[in-house]
Structures are given as C-alpha cells and as structure tokens.
C-alpha cells in the first residue's frame, strides 16, 4: 500500500506536471511547424517543377510539329507529362502525408493555386489534348495558342511558388520564435524550480541539519521554525518535540538516576532478604528452630518490633501459636489459639490474601484489640502456603505506624510460600523416617518369622515330644529329642546373631566393594567356605541408603548359602559397565528347582522375597537361577537411569 501524498509532494508533483505540460506543448508545436515546413518545402519543389514541365510540354509539341509526323514515342512523352502535371496539381491541392507534401493553407497560396488549376484545366490542358488528337493544321493552331498562353501560365506558377516561399519563410520565423521562447522558458523554468526547491526543501533541510548539529553539541534548547504544514513542516515539528522531550529528560536525568538507584537498592535489599531467608530454610533444622530462625530473619531485615508464626490445624480449624518474638506473656496467652476467621490472622487464613493495617484505623469489622493493647501501631499477616494449601500465617508487628510498600508485601508473601515449602519438607522428612522405620519393622518381622519364629515353633513341638517321652519313661527317645532341642536352640542362636549383624550394618567402610569384601572374609572365617571377589569397571559411589540395601541383599544371599547350599566355594562379582551396576553371587552348592520347591518362595521362607523387595525399593532388579546339583546364581542389577534419578 502506498502512503497518502502530503502537501509538499503535491506541490512538487504539481510544479513538475505544469512544466511537463508546457514543455510538451512547445515541443509538439515545434514538431508541427517543422512538419509543415517539410511539406511546404516539398510543395515548393513540386511547384517549381511544374514550370519546367510546362516548357517541356511546349518543347515536345514544337518537335512533333517540325517532324510533320510525330511518332508514338513523342506522343507518349507528351501524354506522360500531362499525367505528371495533373498528379502534381492534385498533390498540391490535397497533400501527400507519405512524403510529406502539403501546400500552405493561407488564402494567398490557395488563391494562386486555384488560378493555376483553373488556367491549366480551362486553357492549357485542352490545347495539349487538341494537339494530341488533331491533324497537322490543328496541331499548329494548338501550338500557337499554347505559346500565347505559356508565359502567362508560367507567370502564375511563379506567383504560386513565390507565395509558398513567403509562407515557408513565415513558418520558419515562427519556428525560430517558438524555439527561442522554449529556450527562455527552459531557463526561466530551471530558475523557478531552483527557487522552488531551495525555498521548500533545501532551506528547511539545512535548518534541520543545523539544528541537529547544535543538538549533537548538547544544545537542547535548539528549535527550528515551522513555516508550513507539509512533510518538512511536520518533520520540523517532530524535531522540536524531540528536542523538548530530550530537554525534559535531561533536566530530570539526575532525579531519574537517583530514583532508579533507589529502586535498584531496594531490589537488591529484597533479593538479599530473599536469598538469606531461603538459604536458611534450605538447611535441615527442627520445626521450632525453622520457624524461630525465619521470624528472626524477617524481623532483622524489616526492622520490626515483634513477630509470630502460627500453624493451622485443618481438623479443628484453629491457629496455634508456634513461635513468637517480642510479644508479652499476656499476648501469647490470649492468642495461643485462634479460631479460623477470628481477628486478623483468621481472616488471612480464610481469604488467603496478605494484610497490613494501621491499628488506629482498622477496617470495618476487623477486631485488633490484642494488638492495640500490646501497643502496636501496624499489624501485618501473611499466609504460609504450600501447593495452594494453607499451612498457617506469620505476623510482623511495628510499634509505630509503618507503611508497607507493595514490593515489601509481595516479598513477604513470597517468603510465606518458601516457609510453607520448608515446613512441608520437614513433615515429609518425618513421614519418610516413619515409613522407613515401618518398612524396617516389617522386614524385621518377616526375618524373625522366617528364622526364629519357625525355630521356636520347632522347639515347641520338640518340647512336647520330650514331655511325652518322659511321661512314658522312654529315656532313649527323650535323649534323642533333647539332642534335637539342642540343635534347634543352637540354630536359633545363630539366626539371632545373624539378624543382629544385619540390623547393625552400617557403611563404615570406604565403599561398597570394601564392605562386600569384608563380609566375604567374615563369612569365610565363620563357615570355612572358600570365597572369591571380583571387581569389573568403576563408577561414582551410590547413596549410603542404597548401599545398605545392597549389603543386606548380599548378606541374605550368604546366609542362604550357609543354611541351605552345602557349598564349598562362593564367588561375588561386582560389575560397573557404562554406569550400570551388576552384582552376582554364585555358589557351587546343591542348588534347587524353584518350580518343584515353591516353598522357598512362600511366606514361610521369605528370605528370597525380602531380597526382591529390597532390590525394588532402590529401583533395582533381582533374579535367582538354580538347578539341582548345579549351584545357585543370584543377580542384582541397578540401571544407570535409576541411579541418576535416585
């Protein structure tokens, strides 16, 4: 799309169009005159040839009369001259654009042309025709009459040619006059255009350029005159507006810099408060210390006189005062517990919006009696929120009325969200510990059930058999049962010792490999079974909790080998390839068939089940492969992706 032309554009285009029309008209006029001159020159040439042609006709007629019998060639020549004379007259009268040829259209030329045509048609041409068709006597008479009319006729042709030459001279003078006028107009037009462009463009642009130089030299008082309402006038007006704006900006630059410096200082202060508080909240601490430290940080940063942190109990819908600083015992006693919707804090819990009020002019319906009695001038309350869930509020109090800016309100509201995250993290950690304890208790119960509980049940049966043998005075059976009891007690004792070893396991060694190697050495010393330990590759250490679970799996595998495998050699391979961890425990014992011996995977023998649960707990995979007489192979895998996410 084209922009709408302005006044300056219209002036320039209009001026150029005027000069274009004038120049085109003058050039067209000169072309017309030159074309007419060319036609008149051809007409003068043809008119002059008519005189020669008239004399030629007379000469041919005289020759034919002298020969007494003119030949066909002579007669044909006379006939051709007649036709040529007629054609030239017709061309002089009508014109011939192809040559071009055109006789002047002024009255004098037209009159003399008419006289030549009349004389030719009435006298000369009939005499020639009589000569052509007559006998010798008639030819002589025609020739005499032709000779008598010849000079007057040629005189008329001379007059016609002279009239056309006069017209040609007049047109030539006119052409020269038009050309001179055109030159004068070109000079005047150039001068007018120069003055026009100087006045409308060059001078205003020069003033704008001078103004720009002065502005570049820090002269912001410069203004350029606005003398028109065209594009350059608008440009000058815009320049003046820009200069005025720059002058105003420069005049208030120091104030703006000072204000921006204050704003940056305030922003840095807010960032410093936010950083220090979040850094404190990221450190592990009990809930009481967390809230007290948070309150101390806020008070110190804002210069507050007192503060409090209250936690919300959704079941009772009450706010409990968790910690406070700078509050009297009476205040703490009165507001140790608040109902939701009561006072300032209860309103904030219900609305979720921060609040800051002047206690001398509280909002309608808002009761701040305790704050007023305590002597505070300003009371504030901000939500403690986690995932859109209200966890409580914290208060900041000032003895004197204190204006809380919008930035400070947003900062305190943000800090309330950070405190909510920290409180929820503490709760999650507590729940995680409780869950870990519960899981360990379940594992303990499973292992006790699988080992000691079954052993005690066996001992209970043996005691009953012993009592029965003693009642029946079967001493041999009683002694045999007593031996079985002794073996059962020893086995239960060994199970208890092994469980104690499992429960006391800590990663005190340098790494997992050292812990596995130490467990193998202890296993070999207790059982006499030959052990072998291989390490393949390397990788960063695991988390201590993951290593403990892996050690439990290894110890449970060694315990099963001791109890059931009847092996003479045990080999453990720890492979770390491309970040993946794989631990293989192999023995050359008697093995078993999991399909034909499902009891090994039943609730009564939950050792294998416990290993599988431990592996799944840390994101690993556990498998067992065994065949009767071919030993057993236990494989634990921990993929790299699981290690990175954990």
């Amino acid at each position: 799309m084209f922009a709408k032309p302005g006044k300056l554009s219209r002036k320039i285009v209009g001026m150029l169009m005027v000069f274009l029309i004038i120049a085109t008209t003058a050039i067209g006029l000169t072309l017309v005159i030159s074309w007419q001159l060319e036609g008149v020159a051809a007409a003068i040439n043809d008119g002059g040839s008519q005189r020669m042609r008239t004399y030629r006709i007379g000469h041919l007629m005289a020759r034919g009369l002298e020969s007494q019998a003119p030949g066909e060639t002579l007669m044909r020549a006379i006939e051709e001259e007649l036709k040529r004379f007629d054609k030239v007259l017709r061309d002089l009268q009508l014109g011939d654009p192809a040559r071009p040829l055109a006789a002047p259209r002024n009255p004098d030329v037209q009159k003399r042309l008419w006289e030549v045509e009349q004389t030719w048609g009435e006298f000369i041409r009939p005499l020639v025709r009589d000569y052509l068709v007559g006998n010798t006597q008639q030819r002589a008479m025609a020739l005499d009459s032709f000779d008598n009319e010849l000079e007057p006729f040629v005189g008329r042709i001379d007059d016609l040619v002279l009239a056309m030459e006069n017209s040609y001279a007049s047109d030539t003078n006119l052409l020269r006059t038009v050309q001179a006028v055109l030159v004068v107009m070109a000079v005047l037009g150039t001068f007018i255009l120069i003055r026009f462009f100087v006045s409308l463009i060059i001078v205003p642009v020069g003033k704008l350029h001078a103004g720009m130089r002065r502005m570049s030299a820090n002269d912001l008082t410069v203004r350029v005159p606005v003398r028109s309402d065209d594009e350059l006038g608008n440009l000058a007006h815009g320049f003046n507006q820009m200069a005025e704006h720059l002058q105003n900006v420069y005049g208030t630059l120091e104030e703006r810099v000072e204000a921006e410096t204050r704003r940056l200082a305030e922003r840095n202060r807010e960032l410093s408060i936010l950083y220090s508080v979040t850094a404190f909240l990221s450190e592990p601490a009990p809930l009481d210390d967390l809230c007290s430290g948070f309150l101390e940080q806020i008070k110190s940063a804002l210069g507050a006189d007192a503060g409090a942190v209250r936690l919300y109990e959704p079941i009772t819908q009450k706010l409990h005062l968790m910690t406070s600083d700078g509050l009297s015992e009476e205040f703490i006693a009165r507001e140790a517990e608040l109902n939701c919707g009561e006072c300032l804090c209860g309103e904030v819990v219900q609305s979720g919006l921060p609040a800051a009020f002047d206690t001398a002019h509280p909002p309608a319906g808002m009761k701040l009696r305790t704050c007023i009695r305590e002597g505070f001038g300003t009371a504030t309350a901000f939500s403690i929120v986690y995932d859109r869930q209200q966890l409580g509020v914290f208060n900041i109090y000032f003895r004197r009325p204190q204006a809380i800016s919008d930035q400070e309100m947003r900062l305190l509201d943000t800090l309330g969200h950070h405190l909510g995250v920290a409180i929820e993290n503490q709760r999650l950690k507590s729940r995680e510990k409780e869950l870990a304890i519960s899981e360990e208790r379940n594992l303990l119960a499973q292992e006790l059930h699988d080992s000691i509980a079954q052993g005690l049940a066996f001992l209970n049966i043996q005691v009953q058999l012993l009592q029965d043998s003693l009642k029946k005075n079967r001493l041999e059976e009683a002694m045999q049962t007593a031996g079985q009891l002794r073996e059962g007690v020893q086995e239960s004792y060994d199970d208890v010792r092994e469980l104690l070893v499992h429960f006391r396991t800590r990663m005190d060694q340098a790494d997992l490999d050292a812990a596995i190697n130490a467990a193998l050495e202890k296993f070999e010393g207790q059982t006499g079974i030959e052990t072998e330990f291989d390490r393949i590759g390397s990788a960063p250490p695991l988390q201590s909790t993951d290593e403990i679970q892996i050690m439990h799996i290894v110890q449970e595998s060694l315990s099963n080998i001791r109890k059931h495998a009847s092996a003479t050699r045990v080999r453990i391979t720890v492979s770390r390839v491309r970040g993946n961890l794989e631990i293989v425990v192999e023995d050359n014992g008697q093995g078993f068939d999991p399909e034909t011996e499902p009891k090994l995977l039943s609730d009564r023998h939950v050792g294998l089940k416990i290993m599988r649960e431990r592996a799944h707990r840390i994101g690993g995979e556990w498998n067992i492969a065994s065949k009767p007489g071919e030993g057993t192979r236990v494989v634990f895998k921990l993929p790299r992706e699981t290690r990175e996410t954990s």
Side-chain angles (χ1 to χ4, degrees):
M1 297 178 66
F2 294 98
K4 184 178 179 180
K7 292 185 177 180
L8 180 61
S9 302
R10 291 196 293 270
K11 290 178 182 178
I12 294 174
V13 173
M15 180 68 71
L16 293 177
M17 289 300 297
V18 169
F19 276 91
L20 176 63
I21 293 172
I22 295 174
T24 304
T25 303
I27 293 172
L29 181 60
T30 58
L31 290 175
V32 171
I33 295 174
S34 63
W35 184 80
Q36 289 181 354
L37 289 175
E38 186 178 0
V40 171
I44 293 173
N45 185 43
D46 284 4
S49 67
Q50 293 292 72
R51 290 178 296 185
M52 178 274 294
R53 191 165 287 108
T54 303
Y55 284 119
R56 179 175 173 76
I57 291 173
H59 175 68
L60 292 175
M61 291 172 64
R63 283 179 56 193
L65 188 61
E66 290 175 356
S67 61
Q68 299 295 324
E72 289 186 18
T73 302
L74 184 63
M75 301 299 286
R76 190 178 303 111
I78 296 173
E79 187 72 29
E80 289 295 329
E81 291 298 331
L82 284 176
K83 292 180 180 180
R84 290 175 184 173
F85 199 101
D86 290 338
K87 182 178 183 307
V88 170
L89 281 180
R90 186 169 57 253
D91 290 341
L92 290 174
Q93 183 180 11
L94 301 178
D96 186 3
R99 293 182 58 179
L101 182 145
R105 298 302 177 184
N106 58 63
D108 185 36
V109 173
Q110 293 298 320
K111 176 182 177 183
R112 298 190 182 280
L113 179 60
W114 179 80
E115 291 177 351
V116 171
E117 289 179 351
Q118 186 179 24
T119 303
W120 169 259
E122 292 181 358
F123 298 102
I124 304 302
R125 194 175 190 283
L127 291 175
V128 177
R129 296 303 303 175
D130 291 344
Y131 177 84
L132 291 174
V133 299
N135 50 28
T136 302
Q137 184 177 1
Q138 291 174 338
R139 289 174 184 165
M141 293 177 60
L143 180 58
D144 291 339
S145 299
F146 182 85
D147 290 337
N148 293 330
E149 296 292 337
L150 179 60
E151 292 302 327
F153 180 69
V154 171
R156 291 187 178 90
I157 294 176
D158 288 338
D159 293 339
L160 172 61
V161 172
L162 180 61
M164 288 191 293
E165 288 177 350
N166 292 334
S167 177
Y168 182 84
S170 176
D171 290 342
T172 301
N173 293 332
L174 177 62
L175 177 61
R176 291 172 180 172
T177 302
V178 171
Q179 289 176 340
V181 171
L182 186 59
V183 171
V184 172
M185 288 178 59
V187 174
L188 291 176
T190 302
F191 178 76
I192 293 172
L193 286 177
I194 291 174
R195 290 296 303 272
F196 175 77
F197 284 112
V198 167
S199 175
L200 293 183
I201 298 177
I202 297 176
V203 171
V205 171
K207 292 180 179 179
L208 282 173
H209 185 64
M212 291 174 63
R213 287 202 305 269
R214 291 177 59 186
M215 185 176 291
S216 300
N218 295 327
D219 183 7
L220 300 180
T221 61
V222 61
R223 299 293 186 271
V224 296
V226 181
R227 297 180 177 177
S228 62
D229 57 350
D230 53 19
E231 290 88 339
L232 289 175
N234 294 333
L235 185 61
H237 181 68
F239 177 86
N240 293 337
Q241 286 183 332
M242 180 184 66
E244 183 176 358
H245 177 70
L246 289 177
Q247 187 177 12
N248 295 333
V249 169
Y250 187 80
T252 59
L253 182 61
E254 293 183 359
E255 298 178 2
R256 293 162 64 89
V257 170
E258 184 179 356
E260 188 67 19
T261 303
R262 289 196 302 269
R263 190 184 70 83
L264 290 176
E266 184 67 23
R267 178 67 68 182
N268 290 334
R269 173 174 168 270
E270 293 176 5
L271 292 176
S272 177
I273 296 173
L274 183 61
Y275 174 76
S276 61
V277 172
T278 52
F280 170 77
L281 293 178
S282 64
E283 298 177 356
L287 186 58
D288 291 344
D289 295 343
L290 193 70
C291 295
S292 299
F294 172 81
L295 197 59
E296 183 179 354
Q297 295 266 354
I298 298 300
K299 278 187 56 185
S300 175
L302 298 181
D305 298 298
V309 175
R310 309 170 191 266
L311 297 184
Y312 176 63
E313 179 60 44
I315 298 177
T316 60
Q317 294 188 351
K318 291 182 179 295
L319 283 170
H320 300 278
L321 186 61
M322 185 69 183
T323 184
S324 63
D325 187 10
L327 299 177
S328 65
E329 295 294 333
E330 181 182 359
F331 188 99
I332 296 174
R334 285 179 176 274
E335 298 201 1
E337 185 177 278
L338 292 176
N339 294 321
C340 184
E342 182 180 356
C343 196
L344 174 64
C345 302
E347 291 289 341
V348 171
V349 170
Q350 284 188 336
S351 65
L353 300 176
F357 298 126
D358 185 353
T359 57
H361 304 89
M366 181 66 68
K367 298 179 180 180
L368 301 175
R369 291 191 297 269
T370 307
C371 298
I372 297 173
R373 190 179 296 109
E374 192 73 8
F376 294 128
T378 300
T380 66
F382 299 89
S383 298
I384 302 175
V385 181
Y386 173 76
D387 195 19
R388 299 183 181 179
Q389 178 183 358
Q390 287 284 350
L391 302 182
V393 296
F394 70 92
N395 306 100
I396 300 296
Y397 301 103
F398 299 89
R399 295 292 179 184
R400 297 181 178 180
Q402 178 77 21
I404 307 297
S405 65
D406 293 338
Q407 292 182 350
E408 291 176 334
M409 293 287 287
R410 288 193 294 269
L411 174 63
L412 292 171
D413 189 54
T414 302
L415 293 176
H417 285 74
H418 284 283
L419 179 59
V421 172
I423 292 174
E424 189 64 22
N425 286 338
Q426 291 294 331
R427 293 179 178 178
L428 291 176
K429 289 180 181 178
S430 299
R431 293 172 187 171
E432 183 180 1
K433 291 180 180 179
E434 293 175 0
L435 181 60
I437 293 173
S438 176
E439 290 180 351
E440 287 298 328
R441 286 177 177 175
N442 290 333
L443 291 175
L444 174 61
Q446 291 175 353
E447 294 194 15
L448 289 174
H449 177 272
D450 188 48
S451 57
I452 299 176
Q454 294 185 19
L456 292 176
F458 171 76
L459 293 175
N460 185 31
I461 295 173
Q462 295 300 320
V463 168
Q464 293 177 7
L465 292 175
L466 179 60
Q467 289 177 346
D468 185 63
S469 298
L470 291 175
K471 287 180 181 180
K472 295 179 180 180
N473 200 19
R474 299 175 182 175
L475 296 179
E476 185 178 354
E477 291 182 2
M479 291 299 295
Q480 184 179 1
T481 304
Q484 293 177 352
L485 281 172
R486 182 178 179 181
E487 292 177 0
V489 170
Q490 183 64 38
E491 185 176 353
S492 297
Y493 176 71
D494 293 338
D495 289 339
V496 170
R497 289 188 62 187
E498 188 172 350
L499 287 175
L500 291 175
V501 172
H502 285 192
F503 298 148
R504 291 176 180 175
T505 298
R506 294 292 182 269
M507 297 306 297
D508 297 329
Q509 292 80 5
D511 54 19
L512 180 63
D513 293 350
I516 295 176
N517 192 31
L520 278 177
E521 292 178 355
K522 184 176 181 181
F523 176 80
E524 184 174 357
Q526 291 177 347
T527 62
I529 300 175
E530 181 184 354
T531 61
E532 183 180 352
F533 181 51
D534 293 334
R535 290 182 289 267
I536 302 174
S538 62
L542 300 173
Q543 296 183 5
S544 59
T545 54
D546 294 348
E547 291 183 347
I548 290 174
Q549 296 298 331
I550 294 174
M551 278 303 303
H552 279 310
I553 294 173
V554 172
Q555 289 172 339
E556 185 67 29
S557 300
L558 295 176
S559 177
N560 287 335
I561 293 173
R562 178 183 62 82
K563 292 179 182 179
H564 310 292
S566 301
T568 60
R569 183 171 53 84
V570 175
R571 180 180 180 181
I572 297 180
T573 304
V574 178
S575 175
R576 297 178 177 88
V577 179
R578 297 180 181 177
N580 300 315
L581 174 64
E582 181 180 87
I583 299 177
V584 180
V585 181
E586 301 174 282
D587 66 75
N588 62 348
Q590 61 185 1
F592 67 96
D593 187 355
E595 295 183 358
T596 60
E597 297 184 46
K599 65 178 182 179
L600 291 174
L601 301 176
S602 66
D603 291 338
R604 295 182 61 195
H605 298 273
V606 295
L608 303 181
K609 182 179 180 182
I610 291 174
M611 285 192 287
R612 180 179 288 108
E613 290 178 354
R614 289 186 185 278
H616 289 172
R617 185 181 303 172
I618 60 176
E621 300 176 1
W622 180 90
N623 292 297
I624 185 169
S626 181
K627 289 184 180 180
E630 297 183 5
T632 304
R633 177 185 172 92
V634 175
V635 180
F636 167 78
K637 294 181 180 180
L638 186 63
R640 177 181 179 181
E641 294 78 6
T642 304
R643 294 181 57 188
E644 292 177 349
T645 55
S646 62

